């Protein structure tokens, strides 16, 4: 049942258009959206954060969801004071560059996710950017959700629309929003790993192709670097999801806890794929280097074989160039063509022997 609901949520917000309208507040232009929800429904109107939280706390089942994009210290200071956010968490949220984690500060839960995006390219080169990463920070409390996005991708507009179309799920409060965000982020991991797999298959085909140029080691190294960036975003999230699934803090609703187990399973699949890709790229790189070594050995054998063939006329011509008076067949009319015939015969025999042994 949990898996079916998660798939329904993903189908709902995948490939949708972001129709959210920016709501600018007096706190600064970093505030993208400020919406009040009650019992799973969106309350009409545009609200400043202080007005929104007052309205959400009137009655039961209400909470406010505030979305920001790369706020400055000054822009976020008002929100931090309004919701009583811990200074350490506020510093992490503003300055970014954090590892995925989950931390509890009194009644507030602070979560950090790494967002990823696959960068489309016509062909992989030694300088191609394959994976673009960003960060998404989430504060959740009893009656509020604050999301801070860093980077040019990872918009939560489609996700917000999907949740609004599932009022029963949204009625579970801020914990449901946190689950939806985690599920959204992990699904992006799976999409990116599937796209990276196509690049790896293209590199593998180039390395083992028989009638084309061998693969470029620079492409393989670049793909490994981009895969490492993806790995740094995905792998550290395992522990935070385990905490949410099996050791939930008090700020997390017990009704949402089982849903995080499903997200953790998807993350495990993405992690396994990335580890497998890393091992496969190592094998491809070793195969490429082995092919280069074999090709160099083949070239050296050919050079050696031709040097051996050229050595025969060089030796004979060197002997006849010593200007002695008593040389074999020196004054014979047919001496010159005889020597040329001997040289040609010896060169032919040596060439045939090298061809038979695969050196030429």
């Amino acid at each position: 049942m949990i898996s079916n609901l998660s798939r329904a949520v993903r189908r709902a917000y995948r490939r949708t258009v972001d129709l959210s309208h920016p709501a600018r507040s007096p706190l600064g232009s970093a505030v993208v959206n400020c919406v009040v929800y009650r019992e799973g429904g969106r309350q009409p109107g545009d609200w400043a954060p202080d007005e929104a939280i007052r309205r959400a706390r009137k009655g039961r089942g209400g909470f406010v969801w505030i979305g920001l994009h790369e706020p400055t210290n000054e822009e976020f200071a008002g929100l931090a004071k309004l919701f009583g956010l811990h200074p350490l968490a506020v510093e992490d949220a503003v300055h970014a560059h954090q590892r995925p984690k989950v931390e509890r500060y009194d009644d507030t839960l602070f979560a950090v996710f790494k967002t990823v995006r696959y960068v489309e390219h016509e062909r992989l080169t030694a300088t191609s950017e394959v994976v673009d990463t960003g960060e998404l920070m989430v504060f959740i409390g009893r009656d509020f959700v604050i999301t801070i996005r860093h980077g040019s991708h990872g918009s939560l507009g489609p996700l917000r629309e999907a949740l609004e179309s599932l009022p029963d799920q949204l009625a579970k409060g801020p914990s449901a929003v946190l689950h939806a965000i985690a599920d959204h982020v992990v699904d992006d991991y799976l999409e990116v790993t599937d796209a990276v797999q196509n690049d790896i298959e293209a590199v593998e085909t180039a390395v083992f192709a028989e009638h084309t140029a061998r693969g470029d080691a620079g492409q393989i190294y670049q793909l490994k670097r981009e895969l490492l960036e993806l790995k740094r975003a995905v792998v550290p999230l395992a522990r935070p999801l385990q905490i949410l699934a099996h050791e939930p803090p008090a700020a997390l609703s017990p009704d949402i806890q089982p849903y995080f187990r499903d997200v953790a399973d998807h993350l495990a699949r993405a992690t396994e794929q990335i580890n497998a890709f890393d091992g496969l790229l190592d094998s491809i790189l070793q195969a490429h280097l082995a092919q280069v070594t074999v090709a160099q050995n083949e070239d050296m054998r050919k050079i050696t074989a031709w040097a051996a063939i050229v050595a025969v006329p060089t030796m004979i011509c060197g002997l006849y160039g010593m200007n002695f008076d008593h040389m074999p067949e020196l004054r014979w009319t047919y001496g010159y063509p005889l020597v040329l015939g001997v040289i040609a015969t010896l060169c032919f025999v040596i060439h045939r022997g090298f061809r038979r042994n695969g050196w030429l």
Side-chain angles (χ1 to χ4, degrees):
M1 177 179 178
I2 294 174
S3 299
N4 293 336
L5 181 57
S6 296
R7 284 193 293 270
V9 172
R10 288 194 294 272
R11 284 196 298 269
Y13 67 72
R14 277 294 183 240
R15 303 290 183 259
T16 58
V17 179
D18 186 355
L19 300 177
S20 58
H21 300 284
R24 305 302 182 187
S25 81
L27 292 176
S29 61
V31 177
V32 176
N33 233 319
C34 181
V35 181
V36 177
Y37 296 95
R38 186 176 302 281
E39 297 180 352
R42 177 171 180 163
Q43 302 299 296
D46 295 333
W47 309 90
D50 53 348
E51 297 173 354
I53 192 61
R54 281 198 299 268
R55 182 175 179 84
R57 288 171 177 171
K58 290 181 180 179
R60 299 180 57 185
F63 71 94
V64 59
W65 182 354
I66 302 173
L68 301 96
H69 180 248
E70 298 182 353
T72 63
N73 285 316
E74 294 75 15
E75 290 172 331
F76 198 52
L79 281 178
K81 182 177 180 180
L82 178 63
F83 292 98
L85 304 179
H86 195 280
L88 291 176
V90 171
E91 182 181 358
D92 290 345
V94 172
H95 296 289
H97 303 295
Q98 305 296 316
R99 284 172 55 88
K101 61 182 178 179
V102 171
E103 295 178 340
R104 180 175 64 86
Y105 297 96
D106 298 328
D107 296 332
T108 302
L109 190 68
F110 176 60
V112 177
F113 301 95
K114 285 280 190 180
T115 59
V116 298
R117 179 178 66 92
Y118 179 76
V119 180
E120 297 291 343
H121 47 268
E122 294 183 2
R123 61 187 287 284
L124 184 67
T125 66
T127 58
S128 294
E129 183 181 14
V130 178
V131 178
D132 183 24
T133 60
E135 293 184 39
L136 185 61
M137 286 78 168
V138 185
F139 291 91
I140 69 167
R142 181 178 58 86
D143 49 19
F144 68 88
V145 178
I146 302 175
T147 55
I148 303 98
R149 181 168 60 90
H150 292 268
S152 59
H153 65 277
S155 172
L156 296 178
L159 175 63
R160 186 190 293 268
E161 296 169 14
L163 280 174
E164 290 175 357
S165 67
L166 298 171
D168 292 339
Q169 185 74 357
L170 191 58
K172 293 181 173 64
S175 298
V177 176
L178 179 62
H179 161 260
I181 291 174
D183 194 43
H184 172 79
V185 169
V186 173
D187 278 351
D188 284 343
Y189 293 165
L190 293 173
E191 289 188 1
V192 171
T193 53
D194 290 341
V196 170
Q197 183 176 4
N198 295 331
D199 285 329
I200 295 176
E201 290 175 352
V203 169
E204 185 179 22
T205 300
V207 168
F208 293 102
E210 294 182 0
H211 303 293
T212 60
R214 301 297 183 187
D216 181 8
Q219 296 178 3
I220 305 175
Y221 275 116
Q222 178 65 14
L223 200 53
K224 280 185 67 65
R225 284 195 295 267
E226 295 295 308
L227 189 65
L228 178 60
E229 184 175 358
L230 178 61
K231 190 174 184 177
R232 288 172 178 169
V234 175
V235 175
L237 186 58
R239 179 55 184 164
L241 286 182
Q242 289 298 320
I243 293 175
L244 295 174
H246 302 286
E247 309 168 22
L252 190 68
S253 172
D255 296 336
I256 296 298
Q257 179 184 352
Y259 293 90
F260 283 103
R261 298 173 189 166
D262 182 62
V263 179
D265 289 341
H266 294 165
L267 181 71
R269 174 189 162 194
T271 302
E272 291 172 358
Q273 282 185 300
I274 292 172
N275 290 334
F277 292 162
D278 196 23
L280 181 58
L281 282 175
D282 285 337
S283 299
I284 293 174
L285 181 60
Q286 293 299 323
H288 171 72
L289 295 177
Q291 287 180 337
V292 171
T293 302
V294 170
Q296 290 176 343
N297 290 338
E298 290 178 353
D299 293 339
M300 288 302 300
R301 288 197 306 180
K302 291 179 180 180
I303 293 173
T304 303
W306 284 111
I309 294 174
V310 172
V312 172
T314 301
M315 180 186 65
I316 295 177
C317 294
L319 288 174
Y320 277 90
M322 297 174 71
N323 298 322
F324 291 120
D325 290 334
H326 302 286
M327 297 288 291
E329 316 299 339
L330 186 62
R331 302 188 182 280
W332 184 40
T333 304
Y334 301 102
Y336 180 70
L338 175 63
V339 171
L340 290 180
V342 170
I343 291 175
T345 301
L346 291 177
C347 289
F348 173 76
V349 171
I350 296 174
H351 182 274
R352 185 176 180 182
F354 282 134
R355 287 290 298 271
R356 183 179 301 172
N357 292 328
W359 283 47
L360 290 175

